[in-house]
Amino acid sequence: EIQGDEDTYFVIVTRGHRYDQVCLEHIFEKKYAYVGMMGSRKRVAALKESILEKGFPREKVEELHSPIGLAIRAETPEEIAVSVMAEIIEVKNKTGREESISSEMLKVLSEKEKQDKILATIVSRRGSAPRKVGTKMVIFPDGKTMGTIGGGCMEAEVISHALMMLRTGDRNTQIYSVDMTNESAEDEGMVCGGTIDVMLEGVFAE
């Protein structure tokens, strides 16, 4: 039921070969940044052949990371988990994808007649803030969001300020800064610090 997008990383871990294939077929119909699957080379080769016979394009099948994880001679479940996450991080950082606005977000922003909303865009970052400049998020009056600018306390603070803009009907574009230095990040239980400047633009119903 996970919809999937360019920032979704799928890992298939099931009890048997046929369940793996069911999951993989569903995932291949979605958007994703990564799909990995547990399994031996022999089992994976057989599954790939079965998927190809069903008409899935070879280039998509070749995107499957399986056997999963980086080769770090992992043995315990904890070590295997580290190898899987290491591979996901490698894929994430290798793509070098610039953050941009998705078609879904663009559609929502163009629906001016439905409800007010705020578009938040990271315009600068310093330190170990998790998201790049250009990352966008839409904030709705009920507190729901589309996209993310990094999660955690940073994002919560930006959402809170955006909701205040919506409640007061403030139509002025603002630059809102969030400073999570190492000391304050530690107080909040965050694993990273840094500072981001976020441009908040109102998109008001007509």
Side-chain angles (χ1 to χ4, degrees):
E1 296 180 358
I2 298 171
Q3 189 169 1
D5 58 23
E6 295 88 348
D7 291 313
T8 302
Y9 295 75
F10 287 104
V11 174
I12 301 173
V13 187
T14 78
R15 293 182 297 167
H17 172 74
R18 71 178 184 274
Y19 302 115
D20 287 344
Q21 184 162 335
V22 169
C23 291
L24 191 58
E25 289 176 6
H26 279 284
I27 291 168
F28 276 166
E29 299 291 344
K30 306 173 187 286
K31 291 183 179 179
Y32 55 83
Y34 167 97
V35 55
M37 185 181 72
M38 298 286 280
S40 66
R41 294 185 185 281
K42 182 177 180 180
R43 175 177 158 191
V44 170
L47 184 144
K48 284 184 175 181
E49 285 302 317
S50 179
I51 290 284
L52 288 169
E53 288 174 3
K54 285 199 168 187
F56 285 90
R58 182 171 294 276
E59 58 269 22
K60 183 172 283 288
V61 174
E62 294 304 321
E63 291 175 354
L64 174 65
H65 292 264
S66 191
I68 197 171
L70 295 186
I72 60 172
R73 298 183 183 275
E75 294 181 358
T76 67
E78 292 82 2
E79 290 173 348
I80 293 170
V82 169
S83 76
V84 171
M85 289 311 302
E87 183 174 70
I88 287 175
I89 291 169
E90 180 184 50
V91 169
K92 177 182 73 71
N93 292 340
K94 188 182 293 183
T95 58
R97 180 172 64 86
E98 293 298 323
E99 301 291 348
S100 61
I101 193 164
S102 67
S103 58
E104 293 85 356
M105 196 176 290
L106 189 61
K107 180 181 178 182
V108 166
L109 290 170
S110 67
E111 296 173 342
K112 294 183 179 180
E113 73 284 357
K114 290 193 174 181
Q115 63 176 327
D116 296 344
K117 53 193 78 77
I118 298 289
L119 174 63
T121 306
I122 297 178
V123 293
S124 72
R125 66 188 285 269
R126 295 169 293 280
S128 57
R131 291 287 175 139
K132 297 178 181 179
V133 170
T135 303
K136 299 180 187 295
M137 175 176 70
V138 179
I139 301 145
F140 300 95
D142 59 2
K144 292 182 180 179
T145 61
M146 173 179 285
T148 177
I149 55 171
C153 299
M154 277 186 172
E155 184 168 293
E157 195 171 326
V158 171
I159 292 171
S160 178
H161 190 79
L163 291 175
M164 184 183 301
M165 290 175 63
L166 289 170
R167 284 195 297 270
T168 60
D170 189 344
R171 292 175 176 262
N172 296 315
T173 297
Q174 301 182 22
I175 301 295
Y176 187 77
S177 298
V178 185
D179 185 2
M180 294 300 295
T181 60
N182 289 335
E183 183 177 348
S184 57
E186 185 176 350
D187 290 341
E188 295 289 348
M190 295 180 68
V191 296
C192 60
T195 303
I196 58 172
D197 295 324
V198 182
M199 182 169 65
L200 298 173
E201 302 173 88
V203 181
F204 294 94
E206 296 180 347

